[in-house]
Amino acid sequence: PPALYFWSATEYNFTAKLKAHNRVEGYFQFYSEAFKDYTLFAEVEDSTGGIDIFLNDQMIYSGQEDETIKLELENLHHKNMLRFTPWENSEFEFSLIYLQIEE
């Protein structure tokens, strides 16, 4: 399963290899600081098809990407859940996924 690593107080890093035909999704929980905005960077190493990304069960991205997905995350709750769901018959391999706090 995907792993979550904490590298510093202002950045969360994790990697994932997700395949839709095996119904593998990536779930990542993190806690946000009050009054802070975050940027999600998902560096795609290899992909076929598309992927949906949800934050706290609301879709924030849907598409096909072969480089880097960059999303601004604002007004977060204290406890948050990111979910990466590949489309049917799609595969996504991320070299690095990370959250950066915007000061």
Side-chain angles (χ1 to χ4, degrees):
L4 177 64
Y5 300 97
F6 298 96
W7 292 97
S8 68
T10 60
E11 196 170 287
Y12 300 90
N13 293 267
F14 49 96
T15 60
K17 184 172 184 177
L18 308 171
K19 297 183 180 183
H21 63 270
N22 291 332
R23 307 307 296 165
V24 176
E25 296 182 324
Y27 290 88
F28 307 99
Q29 182 175 307
F30 69 98
Y31 292 86
S32 61
E33 295 183 33
F35 308 111
K36 301 283 185 181
D37 293 333
Y38 290 72
T39 302
L40 170 68
F41 296 91
E43 297 177 7
V44 179
E45 185 170 312
D46 191 24
S47 67
T48 57
I51 193 164
D52 297 330
I53 302 174
F54 297 84
L55 174 65
N56 300 326
D57 292 324
Q58 293 186 5
M59 186 180 295
I60 58 172
Y61 176 85
S62 181
Q64 297 172 305
E65 185 61 60
D66 59 0
E67 292 185 14
T68 300
I69 299 168
K70 179 181 175 184
L71 302 169
E72 305 295 327
L73 310 179
E74 300 174 340
N75 303 318
L76 299 180
H77 306 287
H78 176 67
K79 184 178 178 181
N80 301 280
M81 179 69 71
L82 282 168
R83 179 171 45 121
F84 293 75
T85 306
W87 298 352
E88 186 72 28
N89 297 318
S90 296
E91 292 186 18
F92 264 76
E93 184 170 352
F94 295 98
S95 57
L96 182 64
I97 302 170
Y98 62 98
L99 287 170
Q100 181 174 319
I101 295 176
E102 303 300 323
E103 299 293 337

